[in-house]
Amino acid sequence: MTFEHVTVLQKEAVDLLNVKEDGIYVDATLGGGGHTGVILSRLTTGTLYSFDQDETAISFNKEQYKDEIAAGKLVLIFNNFRTLKESLAERGVDHVDGVLYDLGVSSVQFDQGDRGFSYNHDAPLDMRMDQRQELTAKTIVNDWPFGDLVRVLTRYGEDRFGKAIARKIEQHREKAPIETTFDLVEVIKEAIPAPARRHGGHPAKRSFQALRVAVNDELGALEDSLGQALELLDVGGRISAISFQSQEDRLIKQMFKEKTAEPELPRGLPVMPDEMAPDYKLLTRKAIKPSEKEQEENHRSASAQLRGIERIRLS
Ligand SMILES: C[S@@+](CC[C@H](N)C(=O)[O-])C[C@H]1O[C@@H](n2cnc3c(N)ncnc32)[C@H](O)[C@@H]1O
């Protein structure tokens, strides 16, 4: 079995974790195991817990890292990373030295034609990373009220034609359900004026991204998980997070900012009392971007942004 996914910011994201050889680490997004492999190479007696909610990723890495798994150095967890705290607690872990996120879907998920992630492959409208989940893109497209469709397409897809697309979807689904990715692509094309279709990439790109984010509740899962990761960090522990779309990046940036913000110095106090000082420090004032070389070699990396935070005290 092969897993054709080129890891983005592989070294940079792991460097940012500052891996201790005996530490406890989490790779929240195992995928093809690219980051997992680098973290493993830096551990001696430490342990890595790697999550994925997609069974394909878990079974591929079970084989790829069977020696590390047998040695107890790597533990694979087939679950959503929003269960971070609970899944680790079940394994007796209540603090960690680092958590890495490399968000979104892997190239393998895109390229598996039957998964419905890609507007280039005709497939049932599915888009679930976790096949055990009930909600699919087909349900959203055919059953969700007009207002919710507009919200998904405009907010998650940041598509200025979101409302027009939702209206077209409504017209079509009244006659017959929209079953496949190609059916949906046709509906979207009808909704976007011809001059606009000639610019800005594939006309369905934004809507497909929006539906994927909604099906997998990607922003909700990230917010839940980051909150737990911040709590789980030991002093000196770090989070390293790569995002590929602006809303994810905004969420990470905002959460990191809140945790690291210095409160205003109380009147009459010359220095900040320890108990008021933030427990975390920002490792990246500006997001780290892939080098030009990486962007040229792997176009998917162009939108990547890496941010990091470190716990500096326990309050
Ligand atoms: C971009 S890929 C990671 C690639 C990996 N870093 C590598 O180097 O091969 C993202 C992976 O995270 C998984 N994923 C995304 N959101 C998840 C979530 N909420 N819980 C668990 N896994 C998730 C996806 O199924 C996918 O396999």
Side-chain angles (χ1 to χ4, degrees):
M1 183 184 184
T2 55
F3 203 103
E4 301 293 334
H5 176 84
V6 182
T7 301
V8 173
L9 291 164
Q10 188 166 22
K11 185 171 174 301
E12 294 87 338
V14 179
D15 283 351
L16 201 57
L17 283 181
N18 202 17
V19 175
K20 293 190 293 183
E21 60 178 0
D22 59 348
I24 299 172
Y25 290 88
V26 173
D27 181 352
T29 49
L30 170 68
H35 290 108
T36 278
V38 181
I39 299 174
L40 285 172
S41 72
R42 298 185 186 180
L43 296 177
T44 52
T45 55
T47 312
L48 173 61
Y49 295 85
S50 293
F51 285 72
D52 209 295
Q53 59 175 334
D54 190 325
E55 201 175 7
T56 324
I58 295 290
S59 42
F60 172 72
N61 286 286
K62 240 183 213 164
E63 186 54 32
Q64 171 167 234
Y65 293 119
K66 58 176 183 301
D67 295 343
E68 290 81 355
I69 294 169
K73 193 171 170 185
L74 173 64
V75 179
L76 299 184
I77 302 180
F78 176 31
N79 214 337
N80 195 306
F81 59 51
R82 77 190 317 164
T83 68
L84 187 70
K85 216 171 173 178
E86 185 191 330
S87 293
L88 291 176
E90 282 167 9
R91 291 159 180 84
V93 177
D94 60 4
H95 62 95
V96 300
D97 296 294
V99 183
L100 184 142
Y101 295 87
D102 175 19
L103 297 163
V105 287
S106 69
S107 312
V108 174
Q109 288 163 323
F110 266 122
D111 297 342
Q112 281 177 323
D114 57 337
R115 302 291 296 269
F117 286 113
S118 167
Y119 42 75
N120 289 320
H121 296 284
D122 197 15
L125 277 174
D126 187 323
M127 300 197 194
R128 289 170 301 169
M129 291 189 209
D130 186 342
Q131 303 276 297
R132 299 165 298 185
Q133 177 184 304
E134 245 179 64
L135 181 66
T136 64
K138 189 175 167 206
T139 307
I140 297 182
V141 167
N142 290 288
D143 300 344
W144 278 21
F146 174 74
D148 290 347
L149 268 183
V150 175
R151 181 180 53 82
V152 165
L153 296 171
T154 50
R155 195 178 292 172
Y156 299 157
E158 297 180 323
D159 194 331
R160 65 193 164 112
F161 299 110
K163 199 165 181 183
I165 295 169
R167 201 171 291 124
K168 262 297 167 233
I169 289 176
E170 248 205 335
Q171 287 168 10
H172 275 267
R173 72 188 189 183
E174 267 171 21
K175 290 179 234 149
I178 300 166
E179 301 273 358
T180 68
T181 49
F182 278 11
D183 287 348
L184 181 61
V185 168
E186 286 313 309
V187 175
I188 294 168
K189 280 185 181 164
E190 270 182 44
I192 300 181
R197 259 187 270 144
R198 286 193 279 273
H199 307 286
H202 195 286
K205 189 173 160 192
R206 287 172 183 274
S207 305
F208 270 61
Q209 175 186 299
L211 286 168
R212 199 199 82 205
V213 169
V215 168
N216 299 289
D217 187 20
E218 291 181 34
L219 295 169
L222 178 60
E223 190 173 2
D224 285 357
S225 186
L226 271 182
Q228 297 168 34
L230 286 159
E231 283 177 28
L232 284 164
L233 285 185
D234 252 339
V235 173
R238 293 176 165 202
I239 296 173
S240 171
I242 307 170
S243 61
F244 291 86
Q245 43 127 323
S246 51
Q247 291 161 79
E248 271 169 359
D249 185 55
R250 229 175 282 139
L251 177 65
I252 295 166
K253 191 171 154 188
Q254 190 56 36
M255 284 184 82
F256 286 5
K257 196 171 154 198
E258 278 165 20
K259 286 288 175 188
T260 55
E262 296 258 354
E264 261 184 48
L265 202 58
R267 231 195 262 230
L269 283 184
V271 285
M272 183 75 62
D274 259 4
E275 62 275 15
M276 285 188 69
D279 291 344
Y280 301 84
K281 92 170 177 210
L282 213 51
L283 297 171
T284 45
R285 291 245 151 256
K286 276 180 79 178
I288 298 170
K289 299 273 310 158
S291 64
E292 272 179 29
K293 183 168 175 282
E294 179 170 0
Q295 293 190 39
E296 262 167 41
E297 286 169 2
N298 177 14
H299 293 300
R300 205 183 68 84
S301 75
S303 57
Q305 313 229 63
L306 167 65
R307 294 184 188 274
I309 192 170
E310 178 179 331
R311 183 157 209 162
I312 49 175
R313 65 172 67 83
L314 294 169
S315 56

